[in-house]
Amino acid sequence: MGYGQKIWVFPDAERPPEGHNLIRGHESVIILNTGETDAHVTITFYFEDKDPVTLPPVTVGALRVRCLRTGEENGFGKYTVSEGVQYAITLESDVPVVAQYGRAEPREIAFYTTPGYCKS
């Protein structure tokens, strides 16, 4: 049995500009699967002024971690988030996973991560 929960919520997401400071701007969702079974995770983006976007499921292998950068197609398929757009993220997995959101912010030269909200 793996650690974590099946549903995670990150209410504060915003892809920063790439920037040219010591810290390059980026945003990512990190998913850890400590279980013995592959996790199939559906990601939905919620916006203030348009309908939600649900992406095709991504797989996180058993006993693996996967880092998905919101500005790169290899993590989110054909859908990438535009710079400066405020939005929220939900993850729904078929097995328990641990999830974290991270953002490198070149405008303030800062990097931070936050665990999401999950309901037991």
Short mmCIF file of all heavy atoms in Angstrom, two decimals, residues 79-111:
data_model
loop_
_atom_site.label_atom_id
_atom_site.label_comp_id
_atom_site.label_asym_id
_atom_site.label_seq_id
_atom_site.Cartn_x
_atom_site.Cartn_y
_atom_site.Cartn_z
N TYR A 79 -1.52 20.85 -24.16
CA TYR A 79 -1.99 22.00 -23.39
C TYR A 79 -0.92 22.47 -22.42
O TYR A 79 -0.47 21.72 -21.57
CB TYR A 79 -3.26 21.65 -22.60
CG TYR A 79 -3.91 22.88 -22.02
CD1 TYR A 79 -4.82 23.60 -22.78
CD2 TYR A 79 -3.55 23.35 -20.77
CE1 TYR A 79 -5.38 24.76 -22.27
CE2 TYR A 79 -4.11 24.51 -20.27
CZ TYR A 79 -5.02 25.21 -21.02
OH TYR A 79 -5.57 26.37 -20.53
N THR A 80 -0.50 23.69 -22.58
CA THR A 80 0.41 24.30 -21.63
C THR A 80 -0.25 25.58 -21.12
O THR A 80 -1.07 26.19 -21.79
CB THR A 80 1.78 24.64 -22.26
OG1 THR A 80 1.57 25.51 -23.38
CG2 THR A 80 2.49 23.39 -22.73
N VAL A 81 0.11 25.98 -19.94
CA VAL A 81 -0.48 27.16 -19.32
C VAL A 81 0.32 28.39 -19.76
O VAL A 81 1.54 28.37 -19.77
CB VAL A 81 -0.45 27.02 -17.78
CG1 VAL A 81 -1.00 28.26 -17.12
CG2 VAL A 81 -1.24 25.80 -17.37
N SER A 82 -0.38 29.47 -20.08
CA SER A 82 0.27 30.71 -20.49
C SER A 82 0.88 31.41 -19.27
O SER A 82 0.38 31.30 -18.16
CB SER A 82 -0.74 31.65 -21.14
OG SER A 82 -1.29 31.06 -22.29
N GLU A 83 1.94 32.17 -19.51
CA GLU A 83 2.58 32.93 -18.43
C GLU A 83 1.60 33.94 -17.85
O GLU A 83 0.81 34.55 -18.56
CB GLU A 83 3.79 33.68 -18.96
CG GLU A 83 4.95 32.80 -19.30
CD GLU A 83 6.15 33.59 -19.79
OE1 GLU A 83 6.12 34.85 -19.77
OE2 GLU A 83 7.11 32.95 -20.21
N GLY A 84 1.65 34.09 -16.53
CA GLY A 84 0.90 35.11 -15.85
C GLY A 84 -0.57 34.82 -15.62
O GLY A 84 -1.28 35.64 -15.05
N VAL A 85 -1.05 33.65 -16.03
CA VAL A 85 -2.46 33.30 -15.85
C VAL A 85 -2.64 32.68 -14.47
O VAL A 85 -1.96 31.72 -14.11
CB VAL A 85 -2.93 32.32 -16.95
CG1 VAL A 85 -4.34 31.82 -16.67
CG2 VAL A 85 -2.86 32.97 -18.31
N GLN A 86 -3.56 33.24 -13.70
CA GLN A 86 -3.89 32.69 -12.38
C GLN A 86 -4.87 31.54 -12.58
O GLN A 86 -5.85 31.67 -13.30
CB GLN A 86 -4.54 33.77 -11.51
CG GLN A 86 -4.88 33.32 -10.12
CD GLN A 86 -3.65 33.12 -9.25
OE1 GLN A 86 -2.70 33.87 -9.33
NE2 GLN A 86 -3.67 32.09 -8.44
N TYR A 87 -4.62 30.41 -11.93
CA TYR A 87 -5.50 29.25 -12.06
C TYR A 87 -5.31 28.33 -10.88
O TYR A 87 -4.50 28.58 -10.00
CB TYR A 87 -5.25 28.54 -13.39
CG TYR A 87 -3.91 27.86 -13.50
CD1 TYR A 87 -3.81 26.48 -13.39
CD2 TYR A 87 -2.74 28.58 -13.70
CE1 TYR A 87 -2.59 25.85 -13.49
CE2 TYR A 87 -1.52 27.96 -13.80
CZ TYR A 87 -1.45 26.60 -13.69
OH TYR A 87 -0.23 25.97 -13.78
N ALA A 88 -6.09 27.26 -10.83
CA ALA A 88 -5.99 26.25 -9.78
C ALA A 88 -5.84 24.88 -10.46
O ALA A 88 -6.21 24.71 -11.63
CB ALA A 88 -7.22 26.27 -8.89
N ILE A 89 -5.34 23.92 -9.69
CA ILE A 89 -5.07 22.58 -10.23
C ILE A 89 -5.69 21.53 -9.32
O ILE A 89 -5.57 21.62 -8.10
CB ILE A 89 -3.55 22.30 -10.30
CG1 ILE A 89 -2.84 23.36 -11.14
CG2 ILE A 89 -3.27 20.90 -10.83
CD1 ILE A 89 -1.32 23.32 -11.00
N THR A 90 -6.34 20.53 -9.91
CA THR A 90 -6.71 19.33 -9.16
C THR A 90 -6.05 18.12 -9.80
O THR A 90 -5.87 18.06 -11.03
CB THR A 90 -8.23 19.09 -9.09
OG1 THR A 90 -8.74 18.89 -10.40
CG2 THR A 90 -8.95 20.23 -8.40
N LEU A 91 -5.67 17.17 -8.96
CA LEU A 91 -5.14 15.89 -9.41
C LEU A 91 -6.06 14.81 -8.86
O LEU A 91 -6.38 14.83 -7.67
CB LEU A 91 -3.74 15.64 -8.86
CG LEU A 91 -2.66 16.69 -9.07
CD1 LEU A 91 -1.38 16.27 -8.36
CD2 LEU A 91 -2.42 16.91 -10.53
N GLU A 92 -6.47 13.89 -9.70
CA GLU A 92 -7.28 12.75 -9.26
C GLU A 92 -6.59 11.48 -9.73
O GLU A 92 -6.40 11.28 -10.93
CB GLU A 92 -8.69 12.85 -9.83
CG GLU A 92 -9.43 14.08 -9.29
CD GLU A 92 -10.86 14.16 -9.78
OE1 GLU A 92 -11.59 13.16 -9.61
OE2 GLU A 92 -11.21 15.20 -10.36
N SER A 93 -6.21 10.64 -8.78
CA SER A 93 -5.45 9.43 -9.08
C SER A 93 -6.27 8.19 -8.73
O SER A 93 -7.10 8.22 -7.82
CB SER A 93 -4.16 9.43 -8.25
OG SER A 93 -3.41 8.26 -8.47
N ASP A 94 -6.00 7.10 -9.44
CA ASP A 94 -6.71 5.86 -9.14
C ASP A 94 -6.08 5.08 -7.97
O ASP A 94 -6.67 4.13 -7.47
CB ASP A 94 -6.82 4.97 -10.39
CG ASP A 94 -5.47 4.59 -10.98
OD1 ASP A 94 -4.43 5.16 -10.58
OD2 ASP A 94 -5.46 3.72 -11.86
N VAL A 95 -4.89 5.50 -7.54
CA VAL A 95 -4.24 4.94 -6.35
C VAL A 95 -3.67 6.11 -5.53
O VAL A 95 -3.45 7.19 -6.08
CB VAL A 95 -3.11 3.94 -6.71
CG1 VAL A 95 -3.65 2.74 -7.48
CG2 VAL A 95 -2.00 4.62 -7.48
N PRO A 96 -3.43 5.92 -4.24
CA PRO A 96 -2.89 7.03 -3.44
C PRO A 96 -1.52 7.48 -3.95
O PRO A 96 -0.65 6.65 -4.28
CB PRO A 96 -2.77 6.44 -2.04
CG PRO A 96 -3.76 5.32 -2.01
CD PRO A 96 -3.75 4.75 -3.40
N VAL A 97 -1.33 8.81 -4.01
CA VAL A 97 -0.06 9.42 -4.37
C VAL A 97 0.17 10.61 -3.43
O VAL A 97 -0.75 11.07 -2.76
CB VAL A 97 -0.02 9.90 -5.84
CG1 VAL A 97 -0.12 8.73 -6.80
CG2 VAL A 97 -1.12 10.93 -6.11
N VAL A 98 1.39 11.10 -3.42
CA VAL A 98 1.72 12.33 -2.70
C VAL A 98 2.04 13.37 -3.77
O VAL A 98 2.77 13.08 -4.73
CB VAL A 98 2.93 12.13 -1.77
CG1 VAL A 98 3.34 13.45 -1.12
CG2 VAL A 98 2.61 11.08 -0.72
N ALA A 99 1.48 14.58 -3.63
CA ALA A 99 1.67 15.61 -4.64
C ALA A 99 2.15 16.91 -4.01
O ALA A 99 1.85 17.22 -2.86
CB ALA A 99 0.36 15.85 -5.39
N GLN A 100 2.91 17.66 -4.80
CA GLN A 100 3.45 18.93 -4.36
C GLN A 100 3.50 19.87 -5.55
O GLN A 100 3.72 19.44 -6.69
CB GLN A 100 4.85 18.71 -3.80
CG GLN A 100 5.56 19.96 -3.37
CD GLN A 100 6.88 19.62 -2.72
OE1 GLN A 100 6.92 18.97 -1.69
NE2 GLN A 100 7.97 20.03 -3.34
N TYR A 101 3.31 21.16 -5.31
CA TYR A 101 3.38 22.19 -6.33
C TYR A 101 4.61 23.04 -6.05
O TYR A 101 4.90 23.36 -4.90
CB TYR A 101 2.12 23.06 -6.26
CG TYR A 101 2.17 24.30 -7.10
CD1 TYR A 101 1.84 24.27 -8.44
CD2 TYR A 101 2.59 25.51 -6.56
CE1 TYR A 101 1.89 25.42 -9.22
CE2 TYR A 101 2.63 26.66 -7.32
CZ TYR A 101 2.29 26.62 -8.66
OH TYR A 101 2.34 27.75 -9.42
N GLY A 102 5.34 23.40 -7.10
CA GLY A 102 6.51 24.26 -6.93
C GLY A 102 6.56 25.33 -7.99
O GLY A 102 6.11 25.14 -9.12
N ARG A 103 7.10 26.49 -7.61
CA ARG A 103 7.23 27.59 -8.56
C ARG A 103 8.53 28.32 -8.29
O ARG A 103 8.81 28.69 -7.15
CB ARG A 103 6.03 28.54 -8.43
CG ARG A 103 6.07 29.70 -9.39
CD ARG A 103 4.73 30.38 -9.59
NE ARG A 103 4.24 31.08 -8.43
CZ ARG A 103 2.94 31.13 -8.08
NH1 ARG A 103 2.03 30.49 -8.78
NH2 ARG A 103 2.56 31.81 -7.03
N ALA A 104 9.31 28.51 -9.34
CA ALA A 104 10.50 29.36 -9.27
C ALA A 104 10.09 30.70 -9.85
O ALA A 104 9.67 30.79 -11.00
CB ALA A 104 11.64 28.75 -10.08
N GLU A 105 10.18 31.72 -9.03
CA GLU A 105 9.65 33.04 -9.36
C GLU A 105 10.79 34.02 -9.61
O GLU A 105 11.40 34.53 -8.66
CB GLU A 105 8.75 33.51 -8.21
CG GLU A 105 8.14 34.85 -8.38
CD GLU A 105 7.35 35.00 -9.65
OE1 GLU A 105 6.22 34.49 -9.72
OE2 GLU A 105 7.86 35.64 -10.59
N PRO A 106 11.13 34.30 -10.89
CA PRO A 106 12.26 35.19 -11.16
C PRO A 106 11.97 36.66 -10.87
O PRO A 106 12.89 37.45 -10.67
CB PRO A 106 12.53 34.98 -12.65
CG PRO A 106 11.20 34.61 -13.21
CD PRO A 106 10.53 33.80 -12.12
N ARG A 107 10.69 37.05 -10.80
CA ARG A 107 10.36 38.45 -10.53
C ARG A 107 10.76 38.83 -9.11
O ARG A 107 11.09 39.98 -8.83
CB ARG A 107 8.87 38.71 -10.74
CG ARG A 107 8.47 38.54 -12.22
CD ARG A 107 6.99 38.59 -12.40
NE ARG A 107 6.41 37.33 -11.94
CZ ARG A 107 5.19 36.91 -12.24
NH1 ARG A 107 4.41 37.64 -13.00
NH2 ARG A 107 4.74 35.76 -11.79
N GLU A 108 10.73 37.87 -8.20
CA GLU A 108 11.10 38.10 -6.81
C GLU A 108 12.35 37.32 -6.42
O GLU A 108 12.77 37.34 -5.28
CB GLU A 108 9.95 37.70 -5.88
CG GLU A 108 8.66 38.44 -6.14
CD GLU A 108 8.78 39.92 -5.86
OE1 GLU A 108 9.53 40.31 -4.96
OE2 GLU A 108 8.11 40.69 -6.57
N ILE A 109 12.90 36.60 -7.37
CA ILE A 109 14.04 35.71 -7.16
C ILE A 109 13.77 34.81 -5.95
O ILE A 109 14.40 34.90 -4.91
CB ILE A 109 15.37 36.47 -7.02
CG1 ILE A 109 15.55 37.43 -8.20
CG2 ILE A 109 16.53 35.48 -6.96
CD1 ILE A 109 16.84 38.22 -8.17
N ALA A 110 12.77 33.96 -6.12
CA ALA A 110 12.36 33.07 -5.04
C ALA A 110 11.94 31.72 -5.62
O ALA A 110 11.53 31.63 -6.77
CB ALA A 110 11.20 33.68 -4.27
N PHE A 111 12.06 30.71 -4.80
CA PHE A 111 11.56 29.38 -5.15
C PHE A 111 10.79 28.87 -3.95
O PHE A 111 11.24 28.98 -2.82
CB PHE A 111 12.70 28.41 -5.47
CG PHE A 111 12.21 27.05 -5.81
CD1 PHE A 111 11.69 26.78 -7.06
CD2 PHE A 111 12.24 26.02 -4.88
CE1 PHE A 111 11.21 25.52 -7.39
CE2 PHE A 111 11.78 24.76 -5.20
CZ PHE A 111 11.25 24.52 -6.46
#
